[in-house]
Amino acid sequence: MKATATAHPIQGLVKYHGMRDEELRLPYHDSISVCTAPSHTKTTVEFEPDASEDVFLIDGEEVDGRGRERIEKVVDHVRELADIEHPVRFESENDFPTNIGFGSSSSGFAAAARALVAATDLDMTLPEISTVARRGSSSAARAVTGAFSHLHTGLNDHDCRSERIETDLEDELRIVGAEVPAYKETEEAHREAADSHMFEARMAHIHGQIAEMRDALRAGDFDRTFELAEHDSLSLAATTMTGPAGWVYWQPRTIEVFNAVRQLREEGVPVYFSVDTGASVYVNTTADALDRVEGAVADCGVDTRVWEVGGPSKVLDSSEALF
């Protein structure tokens, strides 16, 4: 009962904020994202009948505290679905920086869910597996189905699951990641989201934003899609910054990248910024403009990485197992 899987992290385009149910991680509203490749998480799991306890390792370090609780929640759900009680050995590795706003929890729980389902021989579709991953991180549901995906809100696993959105932008999009290292606490920001006086305003417009984003993606309209994503980033930040803790994640280099993007756009370059909860920046552009955009972002004094659109989570051959 062993399997290995991989998944790509996500960039939120219309981001969810706040959870109506923290136990099942049911978000208040829908969300849409795109997976960023080649960055990925690889996870190997094995259920061991003779073991005495679960073992959880990420990047070679044993996981404890809240991180362990979140993994256990996903593992326990799969054990319940598969009707087994065996302890599990769980090892995961990321090939990109974590906790700086590049979606490591999304790829982490997506790869975990895919591997756990495969190891227990459960017959589940990707949207069904997305409900398993969602118990660890709502954004992970979208990393399961991959590429451009839409997580629908709901009060149960039938409704609150992810689906992929087909769009011609999959081939055109290039993403420059501007690394601005600054630790963030996404879970706390979600927990207090509804206490912001801006939250009701966000809820009032988010359904229209989702409809606009789906329409722009279906039409393959680059500018409309990523202008919406840029505006949603600012809306998310307004809500986060006006919560009880007053979270301010942006750093001076974050603003510098914003300004560089706006200058390029004034010069006719198709480029837009986007941020999730964190200081690092996604800079969305086209393949033709990539070199110019990456150069301008690097001139802001940040490390950069370049992504294309990543596909869904997938099970790997046994030869690629981590143990």
Side-chain angles (χ1 to χ4, degrees), residues 205-227:
H205 87 265
I206 202 71
H207 305 295
Q209 188 96 336
I210 289 286
E212 286 277 351
M213 180 63 76
R214 286 186 64 98
D215 186 65
L217 288 170
R218 295 289 189 194
D221 188 329
F222 178 89
D223 290 298
R224 189 155 60 106
T225 294
F226 293 103
E227 182 179 28

Side-chain angles (χ1 to χ4, degrees), residues 193-205 235 238-240 242-243:
D195 294 327
S196 164
H197 68 277
M198 299 292 291
F199 186 70
E200 288 187 11
R202 181 169 175 79
M203 289 291 289
H205 87 265
S235 169
T239 308
T240 302
T242 53

Side-chain angles (χ1 to χ4, degrees), residues 87-300:
V88 70
R89 180 173 182 83
F90 175 108
E91 292 193 22
S92 187
E93 290 184 355
N94 301 291
D95 78 336
F96 62 100
T98 61
N99 280 320
I100 65 168
F102 281 154
S104 58
S105 64
S106 63
S107 57
F109 284 108
R114 194 76 200 270
L116 288 162
V117 167
T120 51
D121 291 324
L122 290 169
D123 183 15
M124 301 178 72
T125 65
L126 287 180
E128 288 170 339
I129 296 172
S130 78
T131 70
V132 176
R134 194 201 66 231
R135 284 166 163 78
S137 165
S138 293
S139 59
R142 289 177 266 114
V144 169
T145 49
F148 290 88
S149 281
H150 180 171
L151 175 62
H152 299 268
T153 191
L155 299 178
N156 54 66
D157 287 341
H158 181 78
D159 294 329
C160 191
R161 58 177 60 186
S162 178
E163 64 159 346
R164 183 165 170 172
I165 303 171
E166 298 298 331
T167 173
D168 291 341
L169 294 183
E170 287 188 17
D171 295 328
E172 182 178 7
L173 176 63
R174 296 295 183 273
I175 305 160
V176 178
E179 295 183 15
V180 184
Y183 181 79
K184 62 183 181 64
E185 186 52 74
T186 305
E187 194 166 19
E188 288 300 320
H190 282 305
R191 185 168 291 124
E192 66 172 40
D195 294 327
S196 164
H197 68 277
M198 299 292 291
F199 186 70
E200 288 187 11
R202 181 169 175 79
M203 289 291 289
H205 87 265
I206 202 71
H207 305 295
Q209 188 96 336
I210 289 286
E212 286 277 351
M213 180 63 76
R214 286 186 64 98
D215 186 65
L217 288 170
R218 295 289 189 194
D221 188 329
F222 178 89
D223 290 298
R224 189 155 60 106
T225 294
F226 293 103
E227 182 179 28
L228 285 165
E230 184 171 299
H231 288 171
D232 185 71
S233 297
L234 300 174
S235 169
L236 177 77
T239 308
T240 302
M241 292 179 187
T242 53
W247 298 101
V248 178
Y249 291 112
W250 297 348
Q251 300 294 314
R253 292 283 170 83
T254 307
I255 306 298
E256 192 171 348
V257 173
F258 290 176
N259 291 336
V261 167
R262 285 171 166 159
Q263 180 61 43
L264 285 170
R265 204 157 62 227
E266 288 181 5
E267 296 168 6
V269 178
V271 61
Y272 299 86
F273 66 78
S274 175
V275 288
D276 289 339
T277 305
S280 296
V281 187
Y282 299 96
V283 180
N284 296 298
T285 188
T286 62
D288 290 343
L290 175 61
D291 289 344
R292 182 175 177 184
V293 170
E294 185 181 15
V297 173
D299 286 345
C300 295

Side-chain angles (χ1 to χ4, degrees), residues 54 56 67-77 79:
D54 294 333
F56 301 120
R68 183 182 179 92
E69 290 176 5
R70 290 175 68 180
I71 298 172
E72 285 176 334
K73 187 178 298 183
V74 176
V75 171
D76 287 343
H77 180 56
R79 278 194 279 237

